[in-house]
Amino acid sequence: MRIVRSGIKVFFIVLFVQNFFLFSVKAQDELKEIKQSILEYQQEKDSLNLSRAWYKLGRYYYEHDSIEKSNEAVKKALYWVKILKNDKGISVISNYLATNFSYIGETDSALHYFEVALEACINEEDQQRKANILVNYSDELASIGKYTEATQNAIQAIRIKESLNDSSELAFAYQNVGEIYKLAGETDKWEEYVQKAYRLKDCEECTDLIALTSIYNDLGGIAEKKSEYDKALQYYDTLISIGKEYEYESAINVALSNSATIYKLQGNYSKALELALESQQYQTNNAYQIVYDKILLAELFLATNNLTEAKKNINLAIQDKNLNNYLEEKTRAFKTYYEIEKRNKNFEQALFWNEKYKELSDSIRNKEVRAQIVKMDIAYQTEKKEQQILLLETKDKLKSHRIKIGIFMLIGLLIITSMLFYILQIRKRQAKLTQNELHQKLLRSQMNPHFLFNALGSIHNFMLKNETSKAAMYLNNFSSLTRSILEHSATEFIPLSEEISTLRNYIKLEQMRLQNSFSYYINYNEDLETEFINIPPMLIQPFVENAIKHGLRNLNYEGLLTINIVDKIKTLHVQVIDNGLGFDVNKQKDKKHNSMALDIFEQRRKVLSKNYNCDINLSIKDYSTIKKEKTGTVVEIIIPIAE
């Protein structure tokens, strides 16, 4: 049995709020606030914020277990974002809508909206989002037996993620490919990809709750295929523990149902039936699980010779409109019906269901289809091995020429320093502030000579120590940060998700350079629409840099950097907090270290206010003035959300 993924995170969410919260005072206030904002935006004819508000309403209904209302609201959000011809919004909303339809078993609608989302990604040229949507799209195709197309899309998603060094939800991408091979009857390939996913289970960026539960579910299924029943039960017990820990009822239902299957295979039908009935206590409105459980109960009642209950449950399964979406389970249903009618000595009906079973079973395991799938995987593996060989050759060359590379890096540093000095001279002769000048100042504040020297110096030290893998990783992170800063320096507004990604990259480089002397957290609600919210680029980073260089440096205890981001509908509230010695306005050093960030910030604020009517507020306080027991500095920035 498989665990169906739904929603998004990177674009994907988990249904975790139960019906009884719907009528709570807090929920009612939230619903009232969202509906009020919709009315306001309608009067203002504000299409962008109207789309955001409808989308937020759809997510609210989804979390409160009202899928139909959620779909209606999200469709309205899609309508308004299509008017704006905003491909990014179209892809995000369409993907969310598709996963909603997938969850309730409406496959045709799910496939339609996945295709709309992919088309928007192509127009937008967003490879990362395209990979995430391809994973869900392939899962939906596999559920209706289109294994060739499913495998093609799933492998394409993995290629994109690997080429972008994108580890987000990579475990689920591997697990998803394995699931397709499972459905196609290729057990060895199924296990290969599940093991790839399992190796990433401790990586937070690579594995979320759905991926983790799916991995343990698949490991149990593989052990079952090998008749290693004790091992399978251990995996399912782990899955039950995870489900109870995170209150994820769907995972508990799956684990109990699969454990019942193991006991059925061992001939312990009473124990199997007990677990199958217990699983009904955790049943959700997941279309696949409902179909699976009906068939399982029919099989167990048949095994215990209760033909009346067996026929009752198999009839419920056959009559379920969602059965056509799950061909693997449909074959089980036909086979079970055949066994029931044969036991009842209704031989004409038994023959009828046996023929339907054989016809469907042959079609979904067609040898030609399986050959095409294996061929695609061989092509992918060959390409990957060629890339690995090329990487090894590159590392060998890097190792043998490290001295030359060091000299080249020093020359590059001198050139960069000279260029920065030349730019500084030009700046002194400029009399008028222009938008381009602000971008250059911003670029200089991020990529200052001191940071370049330390970063390149660290890489050089790794080279001299013959730690080529660390040098390559550090250089890759450094080049990614440089590229993103250069791209953003010429852009008026960027999505909040890209700003957060740049901040993570920068902080990780500083952690590596300072030998992990501090830790950090970036906190924001999982409902925050980071893909929709646009802000000026690199507005937060100068204050993060100040916190690291002047707040967290040379501490005799572990430093902590916290960034809190809160969406207030029309404004975004950002806090940058460090647990250093605090902010003292009387110290000349503090004045100097804040002046550069404040000078750039004030000049950018004036231009943004003039050009876009975008008033940004800033406050800097000693943490002890807010909480007496705390030390450090709190910087708070209030940013109007760009339309």
Side-chain angles (χ1 to χ4, degrees):
M1 181 178 183
R2 66 195 181 102
I3 296 178
V4 178
R5 189 174 185 80
S6 62
I8 58 174
K9 161 108 180 67
V10 94
F11 315 116
F12 306 102
I13 66 172
V14 178
L15 182 61
F16 64 93
V17 181
Q18 301 298 321
N19 283 332
F20 62 85
F21 286 116
L22 180 61
F23 302 104
S24 69
V25 175
K26 183 177 179 181
Q28 289 296 327
D29 290 344
E30 181 183 358
L31 181 61
K32 184 178 179 180
E33 181 182 353
I34 296 172
K35 288 184 175 180
Q36 182 61 35
S37 66
I38 289 175
L39 293 176
E40 291 177 4
Y41 294 139
Q42 283 176 336
Q43 293 175 354
E44 297 171 4
K45 297 181 180 179
D46 185 346
S47 298
L48 179 60
N49 279 321
L50 191 56
S51 175
R52 290 183 64 219
W54 277 114
Y55 181 60
K56 181 170 285 188
L57 181 62
R59 291 172 66 96
Y60 172 89
Y61 281 134
Y62 180 88
E63 292 169 357
H64 292 81
D65 207 14
S66 183
I67 302 296
E68 291 184 1
K69 288 184 178 180
S70 174
N71 286 346
E72 290 302 316
V74 177
K75 283 180 182 178
K76 290 179 180 178
L78 183 60
Y79 168 80
W80 287 107
V81 83
K82 280 185 174 181
I83 290 178
L84 295 170
K85 297 181 179 179
N86 185 326
D87 286 318
K88 181 181 297 181
I90 291 171
S91 64
V92 171
I93 294 174
S94 297
N95 180 65
Y96 188 91
L97 196 54
T99 53
N100 267 9
F101 280 116
S102 175
Y103 188 80
I104 59 177
E106 295 188 18
T107 301
D108 290 342
S109 296
L111 290 174
H112 167 71
Y113 285 108
F114 278 134
E115 288 162 4
V116 172
L118 286 171
E119 183 179 354
C121 282
I122 293 171
N123 294 336
E124 188 193 0
E125 298 182 352
D126 189 331
Q127 292 295 304
Q128 187 176 40
R129 186 178 293 109
K130 180 181 178 182
N132 291 330
I133 295 172
L134 282 170
V135 171
N136 275 3
Y137 185 45
S138 63
D139 187 49
E140 197 67 24
L141 288 168
S143 72
I144 58 174
K146 295 186 177 181
Y147 302 122
T148 303
E149 294 178 51
T151 307
Q152 183 178 8
N153 283 284
I155 289 178
Q156 184 183 359
I158 291 176
R159 279 201 182 106
I160 293 173
K161 283 182 172 290
E162 291 177 343
S163 67
L164 295 176
N165 290 324
D166 175 19
S167 61
S168 63
E169 302 194 10
L170 183 58
F172 180 72
Y174 284 137
Q175 187 271 336
N176 188 61
V177 176
E179 185 74 26
I180 296 169
Y181 280 119
K182 169 197 170 185
L183 295 175
E186 294 290 335
T187 303
D188 290 342
K189 300 302 295 183
W190 174 27
E191 181 175 10
E192 176 185 335
Y193 278 93
V194 171
Q195 288 296 337
K196 286 183 179 182
Y198 180 75
R199 286 193 287 271
L200 298 174
K201 67 180 177 64
D202 296 323
C203 169
E204 292 184 4
E205 293 181 358
C206 311
T207 312
D208 63 6
L209 176 60
I210 293 292
L212 184 62
T213 54
S214 297
I215 290 167
Y216 278 106
N217 184 54
D218 278 355
L219 288 171
I222 292 166
E224 177 187 331
K225 282 283 186 181
K226 295 179 176 180
S227 298
E228 298 173 349
Y229 297 138
D230 289 341
K231 182 183 291 187
L233 289 172
Q234 289 174 5
Y235 284 129
Y236 295 143
D237 286 342
T238 302
L239 184 53
I240 291 172
S241 299
I242 294 172
K244 289 182 178 179
E245 179 181 354
Y246 293 98
E247 298 181 358
Y248 185 22
E249 291 198 352
S250 181
I252 302 173
N253 174 274
V254 169
L256 288 171
S257 296
N258 287 354
S259 296
T261 300
I262 297 297
Y263 283 109
K264 181 182 71 133
L265 292 171
Q266 291 178 320
N268 191 344
Y269 300 123
S270 59
K271 179 66 174 179
L273 186 57
E274 175 189 339
L275 292 175
L277 292 172
E278 181 185 352
S279 72
Q280 300 300 293
Q281 300 174 18
Y282 300 95
Q283 187 169 356
T284 68
N285 60 352
N286 182 293
Y288 177 82
Q289 290 184 22
I290 293 171
V291 168
Y292 183 92
D293 289 344
K294 288 173 184 174
I295 299 171
L296 177 61
L297 283 171
E299 292 173 336
L300 292 173
F301 280 122
L302 174 64
T304 54
N305 214 27
N306 189 340
L307 300 181
T308 302
E309 287 297 321
K311 193 164 184 177
K312 174 184 173 181
N313 279 276
I314 203 62
N315 273 325
L316 289 173
I318 294 293
Q319 292 166 10
D320 194 319
K321 64 178 182 180
N322 295 311
L323 181 63
N324 290 327
N325 297 327
Y326 313 114
L327 298 186
E328 188 76 12
E329 308 316 318
K330 193 173 182 180
T331 58
R332 284 180 57 209
F334 289 168
K335 183 179 181 181
T336 303
Y337 219 137
Y338 156 70
E339 295 289 348
I340 293 170
E341 295 293 16
K342 186 174 71 170
R343 191 83 60 87
N344 280 324
K345 298 183 179 180
N346 295 329
F347 298 117
E348 184 177 351
Q349 283 295 309
L351 179 61
F352 169 79
W353 290 110
N354 190 43
E355 289 176 351
K356 290 179 71 69
Y357 160 69
K358 287 185 176 180
E359 180 182 350
L360 184 59
S361 180
D362 290 342
S363 68
I364 67 173
R365 287 179 171 80
N366 183 282
K367 292 182 179 179
E368 182 179 350
V369 172
R370 293 171 65 179
Q372 289 175 351
I373 293 174
V374 174
K375 183 178 179 182
M376 282 188 290
D377 185 71
I378 291 173
Y380 161 66
Q381 296 293 350
T382 301
E383 177 185 338
K384 189 172 181 179
K385 287 179 180 178
E386 290 175 352
Q387 292 174 349
Q388 290 173 342
I389 292 171
L390 180 61
L391 179 62
L392 289 173
E393 291 177 350
T394 303
K395 286 183 178 180
D396 289 340
K397 291 180 180 179
L398 186 65
K399 182 177 180 180
S400 62
H401 296 90
R402 60 181 182 274
I403 297 176
K404 293 182 180 180
I405 293 175
I407 295 173
F408 175 77
M409 289 170 61
L410 290 174
I411 294 173
L413 179 61
L414 290 174
I415 293 173
I416 293 172
T417 304
S418 300
M419 289 177 64
L420 290 171
F421 178 77
Y422 177 70
I423 293 172
L424 288 170
Q425 293 301 313
I426 293 176
R427 180 187 174 196
K428 292 179 182 179
R429 294 192 292 268
Q430 290 178 330
K432 185 178 180 181
L433 182 65
T434 64
Q435 196 76 5
N436 185 56
E437 179 187 18
L438 289 174
H439 291 317
Q440 294 297 330
K441 286 183 179 180
L442 182 61
L443 183 60
R444 285 196 297 273
S445 74
Q446 307 303 314
M447 302 301 292
N448 55 70
H450 181 68
F451 176 72
L452 282 171
F453 178 79
N454 284 326
L456 294 175
S458 297
I459 297 171
H460 185 221
N461 287 335
F462 284 135
M463 299 292 298
L464 292 177
K465 294 177 182 179
N466 203 23
E467 297 180 3
T468 55
S469 60
K470 289 185 179 180
M473 180 177 66
Y474 195 69
L475 186 60
N476 181 58
N477 290 338
F478 181 71
S479 65
S480 297
L481 178 62
T482 307
R483 182 172 61 252
S484 65
I485 291 175
L486 290 172
E487 290 174 352
H488 295 166
S489 67
T491 305
E492 299 296 338
F493 296 95
I494 63 171
L496 177 60
S497 59
E498 295 184 18
E499 179 78 355
I500 292 173
S501 177
T502 301
L503 286 174
R504 288 188 192 279
N505 211 349
Y506 172 75
I507 295 171
K508 286 179 180 178
L509 283 172
E510 289 287 14
Q511 277 186 316
M512 185 180 296
R513 187 174 65 82
L514 297 177
Q515 298 180 345
N516 293 312
S517 62
F518 71 92
S519 57
Y520 79 96
Y521 296 95
I522 300 179
N523 303 318
Y524 54 89
N525 193 291
E526 65 176 8
D527 289 340
L528 185 64
E529 301 157 8
T530 57
E531 297 296 330
F532 277 156
I533 295 175
N534 291 325
I535 65 171
M538 293 176 283
L539 198 65
I540 306 170
Q541 192 276 342
F543 299 102
V544 173
E545 181 178 350
N546 278 340
I548 294 173
K549 290 187 176 181
H550 303 280
L552 301 176
R553 196 171 184 179
N554 298 325
L555 297 178
N556 57 4
Y557 53 88
E558 183 180 1
L560 175 64
L561 173 66
T562 305
I563 302 172
N564 298 321
I565 304 173
V566 180
D567 181 10
K568 298 290 185 179
I569 302 296
K570 292 187 177 182
T571 58
L572 195 70
H573 290 226
V574 180
Q575 284 186 327
V576 180
I577 305 172
D578 67 70
N579 68 338
L581 299 178
F583 173 75
D584 188 349
V585 295
N586 297 318
K587 291 183 179 180
Q588 186 66 25
K589 182 178 180 181
D590 282 337
K591 290 182 180 179
K592 182 178 180 181
H593 105 252
N594 281 283
S595 62
M596 177 177 291
L598 289 173
D599 180 57
I600 294 172
F601 181 86
E602 286 299 328
Q603 293 183 62
R604 293 188 72 197
R605 179 160 63 177
K606 289 178 182 178
V607 173
L608 289 167
S609 178
K610 179 179 178 181
N611 293 346
Y612 302 102
N613 192 26
C614 180
D615 294 327
I616 302 172
N617 296 317
L618 170 71
S619 67
I620 303 176
K621 298 178 182 178
D622 191 280
Y623 206 172
S624 63
T625 62
I626 302 174
K627 293 184 178 180
K628 292 184 179 181
E629 71 277 8
K630 298 290 185 179
T631 63
T633 304
V634 179
V635 178
E636 184 168 15
I637 312 167
I638 301 177
I639 310 167
I641 296 175
E643 298 182 7

